[in-house]
Amino acid sequence: QVHVVEVGGGSVEAGGSLNLSCTASGDLGSPPVCMGWFRQAPGKEREGLGAVDGIGRGNVRESLKGRFTIAKDKVKNTLYLQMNNLKPEDTAMYYCAAKGKWWCDTGDYISWGQGTQVSVSS
């Protein structure tokens, strides 16, 4: 079983930056499981932000490229979400999740963190 814990979040003004981290533990496998970031704003559906697979290939949602970056420290089993030039519409609960396999293309995310709130004021 895989366990993930997010750290970071908070309140910033528009144009500011935040960095979230997510550390995975447990039976991560080799290569380690795919990990991804999601967010959900009140009244909206959950949105996938991007992910990194077990061999280090990553992707970021097209609409967020240029502002959001996802990276992984494979030694620490930690996934990062660097968010720059934040906008009020980025306000949401941000979640980290892991799949039960190393590739991200297929399969469901089965382990979810508790979420961390990001609030951006105008």
Side-chain angles (χ1 to χ4, degrees):
Q1 189 172 358
V2 175
H3 186 57
V4 295
V5 178
E6 306 104 337
V7 176
S11 298
V12 296
E13 293 185 350
S17 297
L18 283 173
N19 186 276
L20 309 183
S21 63
C22 170
T23 300
S25 60
D27 185 11
L28 303 181
S30 181
V33 296
C34 164
M35 295 174 65
W37 284 105
F38 296 80
R39 68 183 179 184
Q40 188 167 22
K44 294 187 176 181
E45 292 188 356
R46 187 173 62 202
E47 177 182 46
L49 307 180
V52 177
D53 69 16
I55 57 175
R57 298 176 303 182
N59 65 80
V60 176
R61 191 179 188 89
E62 192 67 30
S63 61
L64 299 176
K65 288 182 178 179
R67 295 196 303 123
F68 286 21
T69 303
I70 294 177
K72 186 179 180 184
D73 184 327
K74 61 182 180 180
V75 175
K76 297 180 179 180
N77 291 314
T78 298
L79 189 70
Y80 299 96
L81 177 64
Q82 176 65 41
M83 304 181 290
N84 298 324
N85 191 22
L86 283 161
K87 304 176 181 181
E89 52 263 42
D90 294 317
T91 295
M93 186 70 80
Y94 284 68
Y95 298 91
C96 175
K99 295 194 176 187
K101 55 193 71 174
W102 68 263
W103 58 93
C104 296
D105 297 346
T106 61
D108 296 326
Y109 285 91
I110 59 174
S111 300
W112 292 82
Q114 78 285 358
T116 186
Q117 179 69 38
V118 171
S119 298
V120 185
S121 59
S122 57

PDB file of all heavy atoms in Angstrom, residues 61-90:
ATOM      1  N   ARG A  61      -0.578  19.953 -17.255  1.00  0.00           N
ATOM      2  CA  ARG A  61      -1.769  20.359 -17.994  1.00  0.00           C
ATOM      3  C   ARG A  61      -1.420  21.525 -18.905  1.00  0.00           C
ATOM      4  O   ARG A  61      -0.762  22.494 -18.475  1.00  0.00           O
ATOM      5  CB  ARG A  61      -2.865  20.755 -17.018  1.00  0.00           C
ATOM      6  CG  ARG A  61      -4.232  20.949 -17.628  1.00  0.00           C
ATOM      7  CD  ARG A  61      -5.245  21.319 -16.552  1.00  0.00           C
ATOM      8  NE  ARG A  61      -6.601  21.340 -17.063  1.00  0.00           N
ATOM      9  CZ  ARG A  61      -7.394  20.288 -17.084  1.00  0.00           C
ATOM     10  NH1 ARG A  61      -6.977  19.138 -16.604  1.00  0.00           N
ATOM     11  NH2 ARG A  61      -8.614  20.376 -17.575  1.00  0.00           N
ATOM     12  N   GLU A  62      -1.846  21.431 -20.140  1.00  0.00           N
ATOM     13  CA  GLU A  62      -1.453  22.399 -21.171  1.00  0.00           C
ATOM     14  C   GLU A  62      -1.748  23.834 -20.752  1.00  0.00           C
ATOM     15  O   GLU A  62      -0.930  24.727 -20.953  1.00  0.00           O
ATOM     16  CB  GLU A  62      -2.165  22.066 -22.474  1.00  0.00           C
ATOM     17  CG  GLU A  62      -1.628  22.807 -23.690  1.00  0.00           C
ATOM     18  CD  GLU A  62      -0.223  22.398 -24.055  1.00  0.00           C
ATOM     19  OE1 GLU A  62       0.149  21.220 -23.796  1.00  0.00           O
ATOM     20  OE2 GLU A  62       0.517  23.241 -24.594  1.00  0.00           O
ATOM     21  N   SER A  63      -2.898  24.044 -20.156  1.00  0.00           N
ATOM     22  CA  SER A  63      -3.317  25.406 -19.800  1.00  0.00           C
ATOM     23  C   SER A  63      -2.498  26.000 -18.663  1.00  0.00           C
ATOM     24  O   SER A  63      -2.567  27.212 -18.424  1.00  0.00           O
ATOM     25  CB  SER A  63      -4.794  25.415 -19.422  1.00  0.00           C
ATOM     26  OG  SER A  63      -5.022  24.588 -18.291  1.00  0.00           O
ATOM     27  N   LEU A  64      -1.721  25.155 -17.976  1.00  0.00           N
ATOM     28  CA  LEU A  64      -0.943  25.630 -16.844  1.00  0.00           C
ATOM     29  C   LEU A  64       0.543  25.760 -17.162  1.00  0.00           C
ATOM     30  O   LEU A  64       1.313  26.270 -16.336  1.00  0.00           O
ATOM     31  CB  LEU A  64      -1.122  24.680 -15.661  1.00  0.00           C
ATOM     32  CG  LEU A  64      -2.543  24.531 -15.139  1.00  0.00           C
ATOM     33  CD1 LEU A  64      -2.596  23.488 -14.042  1.00  0.00           C
ATOM     34  CD2 LEU A  64      -3.081  25.861 -14.633  1.00  0.00           C
ATOM     35  N   LYS A  65       0.922  25.281 -18.317  1.00  0.00           N
ATOM     36  CA  LYS A  65       2.337  25.381 -18.699  1.00  0.00           C
ATOM     37  C   LYS A  65       2.776  26.840 -18.728  1.00  0.00           C
ATOM     38  O   LYS A  65       2.059  27.703 -19.189  1.00  0.00           O
ATOM     39  CB  LYS A  65       2.558  24.732 -20.062  1.00  0.00           C
ATOM     40  CG  LYS A  65       2.474  23.212 -20.022  1.00  0.00           C
ATOM     41  CD  LYS A  65       2.747  22.611 -21.390  1.00  0.00           C
ATOM     42  CE  LYS A  65       2.700  21.091 -21.319  1.00  0.00           C
ATOM     43  NZ  LYS A  65       2.941  20.463 -22.651  1.00  0.00           N
ATOM     44  N   GLY A  66       3.962  27.065 -18.223  1.00  0.00           N
ATOM     45  CA  GLY A  66       4.463  28.419 -18.130  1.00  0.00           C
ATOM     46  C   GLY A  66       4.291  29.001 -16.742  1.00  0.00           C
ATOM     47  O   GLY A  66       5.011  29.925 -16.359  1.00  0.00           O
ATOM     48  N   ARG A  67       3.307  28.475 -15.987  1.00  0.00           N
ATOM     49  CA  ARG A  67       3.100  28.935 -14.617  1.00  0.00           C
ATOM     50  C   ARG A  67       3.359  27.823 -13.603  1.00  0.00           C
ATOM     51  O   ARG A  67       3.909  28.078 -12.535  1.00  0.00           O
ATOM     52  CB  ARG A  67       1.679  29.446 -14.432  1.00  0.00           C
ATOM     53  CG  ARG A  67       1.341  30.680 -15.233  1.00  0.00           C
ATOM     54  CD  ARG A  67       0.078  31.355 -14.706  1.00  0.00           C
ATOM     55  NE  ARG A  67      -1.091  30.476 -14.696  1.00  0.00           N
ATOM     56  CZ  ARG A  67      -1.809  30.213 -13.603  1.00  0.00           C
ATOM     57  NH1 ARG A  67      -1.489  30.742 -12.437  1.00  0.00           N
ATOM     58  NH2 ARG A  67      -2.870  29.410 -13.690  1.00  0.00           N
ATOM     59  N   PHE A  68       2.951  26.607 -13.925  1.00  0.00           N
ATOM     60  CA  PHE A  68       3.099  25.473 -13.013  1.00  0.00           C
ATOM     61  C   PHE A  68       4.180  24.523 -13.525  1.00  0.00           C
ATOM     62  O   PHE A  68       4.261  24.246 -14.731  1.00  0.00           O
ATOM     63  CB  PHE A  68       1.792  24.697 -12.887  1.00  0.00           C
ATOM     64  CG  PHE A  68       0.729  25.386 -12.077  1.00  0.00           C
ATOM     65  CD1 PHE A  68       0.737  26.752 -11.858  1.00  0.00           C
ATOM     66  CD2 PHE A  68      -0.320  24.652 -11.539  1.00  0.00           C
ATOM     67  CE1 PHE A  68      -0.248  27.383 -11.126  1.00  0.00           C
ATOM     68  CE2 PHE A  68      -1.319  25.256 -10.797  1.00  0.00           C
ATOM     69  CZ  PHE A  68      -1.273  26.626 -10.597  1.00  0.00           C
ATOM     70  N   THR A  69       4.970  24.009 -12.624  1.00  0.00           N
ATOM     71  CA  THR A  69       5.997  23.028 -12.949  1.00  0.00           C
ATOM     72  C   THR A  69       5.889  21.857 -11.986  1.00  0.00           C
ATOM     73  O   THR A  69       5.723  22.068 -10.781  1.00  0.00           O
ATOM     74  CB  THR A  69       7.399  23.638 -12.836  1.00  0.00           C
ATOM     75  OG1 THR A  69       7.497  24.788 -13.689  1.00  0.00           O
ATOM     76  CG2 THR A  69       8.459  22.629 -13.254  1.00  0.00           C
ATOM     77  N   ILE A  70       5.994  20.654 -12.518  1.00  0.00           N
ATOM     78  CA  ILE A  70       5.976  19.456 -11.686  1.00  0.00           C
ATOM     79  C   ILE A  70       7.315  18.761 -11.820  1.00  0.00           C
ATOM     80  O   ILE A  70       7.822  18.566 -12.932  1.00  0.00           O
ATOM     81  CB  ILE A  70       4.835  18.512 -12.101  1.00  0.00           C
ATOM     82  CG1 ILE A  70       3.484  19.168 -11.811  1.00  0.00           C
ATOM     83  CG2 ILE A  70       4.935  17.179 -11.362  1.00  0.00           C
ATOM     84  CD1 ILE A  70       2.294  18.348 -12.241  1.00  0.00           C
ATOM     85  N   ALA A  71       7.883  18.404 -10.687  1.00  0.00           N
ATOM     86  CA  ALA A  71       9.171  17.721 -10.674  1.00  0.00           C
ATOM     87  C   ALA A  71       9.170  16.688  -9.560  1.00  0.00           C
ATOM     88  O   ALA A  71       8.383  16.778  -8.621  1.00  0.00           O
ATOM     89  CB  ALA A  71      10.299  18.724 -10.466  1.00  0.00           C
ATOM     90  N   LYS A  72      10.070  15.737  -9.674  1.00  0.00           N
ATOM     91  CA  LYS A  72      10.142  14.689  -8.669  1.00  0.00           C
ATOM     92  C   LYS A  72      11.573  14.439  -8.244  1.00  0.00           C
ATOM     93  O   LYS A  72      12.479  14.395  -9.076  1.00  0.00           O
ATOM     94  CB  LYS A  72       9.546  13.384  -9.199  1.00  0.00           C
ATOM     95  CG  LYS A  72       9.466  12.277  -8.155  1.00  0.00           C
ATOM     96  CD  LYS A  72       8.837  11.027  -8.727  1.00  0.00           C
ATOM     97  CE  LYS A  72       8.761   9.930  -7.673  1.00  0.00           C
ATOM     98  NZ  LYS A  72       8.229   8.671  -8.222  1.00  0.00           N
ATOM     99  N   ASP A  73      11.758  14.307  -6.945  1.00  0.00           N
ATOM    100  CA  ASP A  73      13.030  13.876  -6.375  1.00  0.00           C
ATOM    101  C   ASP A  73      12.897  12.376  -6.124  1.00  0.00           C
ATOM    102  O   ASP A  73      12.221  11.964  -5.179  1.00  0.00           O
ATOM    103  CB  ASP A  73      13.303  14.637  -5.070  1.00  0.00           C
ATOM    104  CG  ASP A  73      14.660  14.294  -4.478  1.00  0.00           C
ATOM    105  OD1 ASP A  73      15.110  13.133  -4.632  1.00  0.00           O
ATOM    106  OD2 ASP A  73      15.259  15.177  -3.851  1.00  0.00           O
ATOM    107  N   LYS A  74      13.537  11.583  -6.974  1.00  0.00           N
ATOM    108  CA  LYS A  74      13.353  10.136  -6.888  1.00  0.00           C
ATOM    109  C   LYS A  74      14.006   9.541  -5.649  1.00  0.00           C
ATOM    110  O   LYS A  74      13.573   8.483  -5.163  1.00  0.00           O
ATOM    111  CB  LYS A  74      13.866   9.445  -8.142  1.00  0.00           C
ATOM    112  CG  LYS A  74      15.349   9.633  -8.405  1.00  0.00           C
ATOM    113  CD  LYS A  74      15.735   8.933  -9.699  1.00  0.00           C
ATOM    114  CE  LYS A  74      17.213   9.087  -9.992  1.00  0.00           C
ATOM    115  NZ  LYS A  74      17.587   8.406 -11.264  1.00  0.00           N
ATOM    116  N   VAL A  75      15.008  10.208  -5.139  1.00  0.00           N
ATOM    117  CA  VAL A  75      15.666   9.709  -3.926  1.00  0.00           C
ATOM    118  C   VAL A  75      14.741   9.873  -2.724  1.00  0.00           C
ATOM    119  O   VAL A  75      14.632   8.988  -1.876  1.00  0.00           O
ATOM    120  CB  VAL A  75      16.998  10.434  -3.693  1.00  0.00           C
ATOM    121  CG1 VAL A  75      17.614  10.000  -2.377  1.00  0.00           C
ATOM    122  CG2 VAL A  75      17.955  10.158  -4.845  1.00  0.00           C
ATOM    123  N   LYS A  76      14.063  11.009  -2.673  1.00  0.00           N
ATOM    124  CA  LYS A  76      13.176  11.296  -1.555  1.00  0.00           C
ATOM    125  C   LYS A  76      11.747  10.820  -1.799  1.00  0.00           C
ATOM    126  O   LYS A  76      10.895  10.956  -0.921  1.00  0.00           O
ATOM    127  CB  LYS A  76      13.161  12.803  -1.274  1.00  0.00           C
ATOM    128  CG  LYS A  76      14.501  13.372  -0.848  1.00  0.00           C
ATOM    129  CD  LYS A  76      14.389  14.865  -0.581  1.00  0.00           C
ATOM    130  CE  LYS A  76      15.722  15.448  -0.129  1.00  0.00           C
ATOM    131  NZ  LYS A  76      15.635  16.909   0.125  1.00  0.00           N
ATOM    132  N   ASN A  77      11.487  10.280  -2.998  1.00  0.00           N
ATOM    133  CA  ASN A  77      10.122   9.886  -3.364  1.00  0.00           C
ATOM    134  C   ASN A  77       9.141  11.036  -3.139  1.00  0.00           C
ATOM    135  O   ASN A  77       8.035  10.842  -2.608  1.00  0.00           O
ATOM    136  CB  ASN A  77       9.676   8.660  -2.566  1.00  0.00           C
ATOM    137  CG  ASN A  77      10.435   7.414  -2.979  1.00  0.00           C
ATOM    138  OD1 ASN A  77      10.592   7.145  -4.163  1.00  0.00           O
ATOM    139  ND2 ASN A  77      10.910   6.669  -1.989  1.00  0.00           N
ATOM    140  N   THR A  78       9.576  12.206  -3.517  1.00  0.00           N
ATOM    141  CA  THR A  78       8.786  13.410  -3.292  1.00  0.00           C
ATOM    142  C   THR A  78       8.474  14.099  -4.611  1.00  0.00           C
ATOM    143  O   THR A  78       9.361  14.320  -5.424  1.00  0.00           O
ATOM    144  CB  THR A  78       9.520  14.379  -2.353  1.00  0.00           C
ATOM    145  OG1 THR A  78       9.712  13.742  -1.085  1.00  0.00           O
ATOM    146  CG2 THR A  78       8.708  15.652  -2.154  1.00  0.00           C
ATOM    147  N   LEU A  79       7.214  14.417  -4.794  1.00  0.00           N
ATOM    148  CA  LEU A  79       6.720  15.126  -5.974  1.00  0.00           C
ATOM    149  C   LEU A  79       6.472  16.569  -5.603  1.00  0.00           C
ATOM    150  O   LEU A  79       5.894  16.842  -4.552  1.00  0.00           O
ATOM    151  CB  LEU A  79       5.431  14.471  -6.475  1.00  0.00           C
ATOM    152  CG  LEU A  79       4.883  14.936  -7.804  1.00  0.00           C
ATOM    153  CD1 LEU A  79       5.783  14.476  -8.941  1.00  0.00           C
ATOM    154  CD2 LEU A  79       3.469  14.426  -8.002  1.00  0.00           C
ATOM    155  N   TYR A  80       6.904  17.484  -6.452  1.00  0.00           N
ATOM    156  CA  TYR A  80       6.758  18.903  -6.184  1.00  0.00           C
ATOM    157  C   TYR A  80       5.837  19.550  -7.211  1.00  0.00           C
ATOM    158  O   TYR A  80       5.788  19.141  -8.369  1.00  0.00           O
ATOM    159  CB  TYR A  80       8.118  19.602  -6.227  1.00  0.00           C
ATOM    160  CG  TYR A  80       9.092  19.080  -5.205  1.00  0.00           C
ATOM    161  CD1 TYR A  80      10.025  18.107  -5.542  1.00  0.00           C
ATOM    162  CD2 TYR A  80       9.072  19.557  -3.900  1.00  0.00           C
ATOM    163  CE1 TYR A  80      10.922  17.620  -4.604  1.00  0.00           C
ATOM    164  CE2 TYR A  80       9.961  19.069  -2.950  1.00  0.00           C
ATOM    165  CZ  TYR A  80      10.873  18.107  -3.312  1.00  0.00           C
ATOM    166  OH  TYR A  80      11.749  17.620  -2.378  1.00  0.00           O
ATOM    167  N   LEU A  81       5.138  20.573  -6.759  1.00  0.00           N
ATOM    168  CA  LEU A  81       4.327  21.398  -7.646  1.00  0.00           C
ATOM    169  C   LEU A  81       4.714  22.844  -7.380  1.00  0.00           C
ATOM    170  O   LEU A  81       4.375  23.408  -6.342  1.00  0.00           O
ATOM    171  CB  LEU A  81       2.832  21.186  -7.392  1.00  0.00           C
ATOM    172  CG  LEU A  81       1.889  22.060  -8.212  1.00  0.00           C
ATOM    173  CD1 LEU A  81       2.016  21.756  -9.698  1.00  0.00           C
ATOM    174  CD2 LEU A  81       0.438  21.864  -7.758  1.00  0.00           C
ATOM    175  N   GLN A  82       5.455  23.421  -8.306  1.00  0.00           N
ATOM    176  CA  GLN A  82       5.849  24.824  -8.201  1.00  0.00           C
ATOM    177  C   GLN A  82       4.833  25.649  -8.971  1.00  0.00           C
ATOM    178  O   GLN A  82       4.634  25.439 -10.169  1.00  0.00           O
ATOM    179  CB  GLN A  82       7.253  25.031  -8.774  1.00  0.00           C
ATOM    180  CG  GLN A  82       7.717  26.481  -8.791  1.00  0.00           C
ATOM    181  CD  GLN A  82       7.867  27.062  -7.402  1.00  0.00           C
ATOM    182  OE1 GLN A  82       8.358  26.399  -6.485  1.00  0.00           O
ATOM    183  NE2 GLN A  82       7.434  28.301  -7.221  1.00  0.00           N
ATOM    184  N   MET A  83       4.223  26.585  -8.280  1.00  0.00           N
ATOM    185  CA  MET A  83       3.189  27.416  -8.887  1.00  0.00           C
ATOM    186  C   MET A  83       3.618  28.868  -8.844  1.00  0.00           C
ATOM    187  O   MET A  83       3.849  29.420  -7.766  1.00  0.00           O
ATOM    188  CB  MET A  83       1.861  27.224  -8.134  1.00  0.00           C
ATOM    189  CG  MET A  83       1.404  25.787  -8.075  1.00  0.00           C
ATOM    190  SD  MET A  83      -0.163  25.571  -7.223  1.00  0.00           S
ATOM    191  CE  MET A  83       0.313  25.911  -5.537  1.00  0.00           C
ATOM    192  N   ASN A  84       3.744  29.465 -10.007  1.00  0.00           N
ATOM    193  CA  ASN A  84       4.152  30.859 -10.130  1.00  0.00           C
ATOM    194  C   ASN A  84       3.039  31.692 -10.744  1.00  0.00           C
ATOM    195  O   ASN A  84       2.124  31.155 -11.379  1.00  0.00           O
ATOM    196  CB  ASN A  84       5.406  30.962 -10.999  1.00  0.00           C
ATOM    197  CG  ASN A  84       6.586  30.229 -10.407  1.00  0.00           C
ATOM    198  OD1 ASN A  84       6.783  30.202  -9.191  1.00  0.00           O
ATOM    199  ND2 ASN A  84       7.384  29.624 -11.263  1.00  0.00           N
ATOM    200  N   ASN A  85       3.139  32.996 -10.536  1.00  0.00           N
ATOM    201  CA  ASN A  85       2.146  33.922 -11.089  1.00  0.00           C
ATOM    202  C   ASN A  85       0.727  33.423 -10.792  1.00  0.00           C
ATOM    203  O   ASN A  85      -0.118  33.338 -11.697  1.00  0.00           O
ATOM    204  CB  ASN A  85       2.347  34.074 -12.592  1.00  0.00           C
ATOM    205  CG  ASN A  85       1.529  35.204 -13.180  1.00  0.00           C
ATOM    206  OD1 ASN A  85       1.127  36.125 -12.475  1.00  0.00           O
ATOM    207  ND2 ASN A  85       1.252  35.114 -14.471  1.00  0.00           N
ATOM    208  N   LEU A  86       0.488  33.138  -9.539  1.00  0.00           N
ATOM    209  CA  LEU A  86      -0.806  32.588  -9.148  1.00  0.00           C
ATOM    210  C   LEU A  86      -1.938  33.589  -9.372  1.00  0.00           C
ATOM    211  O   LEU A  86      -1.746  34.817  -9.247  1.00  0.00           O
ATOM    212  CB  LEU A  86      -0.774  32.150  -7.695  1.00  0.00           C
ATOM    213  CG  LEU A  86      -0.057  30.816  -7.465  1.00  0.00           C
ATOM    214  CD1 LEU A  86       0.346  30.655  -6.002  1.00  0.00           C
ATOM    215  CD2 LEU A  86      -0.938  29.658  -7.902  1.00  0.00           C
ATOM    216  N   LYS A  87      -3.087  33.043  -9.708  1.00  0.00           N
ATOM    217  CA  LYS A  87      -4.275  33.843  -9.987  1.00  0.00           C
ATOM    218  C   LYS A  87      -5.395  33.445  -9.034  1.00  0.00           C
ATOM    219  O   LYS A  87      -5.393  32.317  -8.535  1.00  0.00           O
ATOM    220  CB  LYS A  87      -4.716  33.608 -11.429  1.00  0.00           C
ATOM    221  CG  LYS A  87      -3.640  33.898 -12.465  1.00  0.00           C
ATOM    222  CD  LYS A  87      -4.117  33.543 -13.867  1.00  0.00           C
ATOM    223  CE  LYS A  87      -3.029  33.821 -14.887  1.00  0.00           C
ATOM    224  NZ  LYS A  87      -3.470  33.499 -16.267  1.00  0.00           N
ATOM    225  N   PRO A  88      -6.351  34.311  -8.807  1.00  0.00           N
ATOM    226  CA  PRO A  88      -7.466  33.955  -7.918  1.00  0.00           C
ATOM    227  C   PRO A  88      -8.166  32.664  -8.352  1.00  0.00           C
ATOM    228  O   PRO A  88      -8.626  31.894  -7.490  1.00  0.00           O
ATOM    229  CB  PRO A  88      -8.393  35.159  -8.031  1.00  0.00           C
ATOM    230  CG  PRO A  88      -7.473  36.307  -8.301  1.00  0.00           C
ATOM    231  CD  PRO A  88      -6.411  35.737  -9.192  1.00  0.00           C
ATOM    232  N   GLU A  89      -8.219  32.403  -9.629  1.00  0.00           N
ATOM    233  CA  GLU A  89      -8.880  31.178 -10.109  1.00  0.00           C
ATOM    234  C   GLU A  89      -8.076  29.916  -9.803  1.00  0.00           C
ATOM    235  O   GLU A  89      -8.551  28.809 -10.029  1.00  0.00           O
ATOM    236  CB  GLU A  89      -9.166  31.254 -11.614  1.00  0.00           C
ATOM    237  CG  GLU A  89      -7.974  31.623 -12.461  1.00  0.00           C
ATOM    238  CD  GLU A  89      -7.936  33.098 -12.789  1.00  0.00           C
ATOM    239  OE1 GLU A  89      -8.219  33.932 -11.889  1.00  0.00           O
ATOM    240  OE2 GLU A  89      -7.617  33.434 -13.957  1.00  0.00           O
ATOM    241  N   ASP A  90      -6.872  30.068  -9.276  1.00  0.00           N
ATOM    242  CA  ASP A  90      -6.096  28.903  -8.832  1.00  0.00           C
ATOM    243  C   ASP A  90      -6.495  28.478  -7.420  1.00  0.00           C
ATOM    244  O   ASP A  90      -6.006  27.456  -6.916  1.00  0.00           O
ATOM    245  CB  ASP A  90      -4.599  29.213  -8.857  1.00  0.00           C
ATOM    246  CG  ASP A  90      -4.069  29.446 -10.259  1.00  0.00           C
ATOM    247  OD1 ASP A  90      -4.450  28.683 -11.173  1.00  0.00           O
ATOM    248  OD2 ASP A  90      -3.281  30.395 -10.440  1.00  0.00           O
TER     249      ASP A  90
END
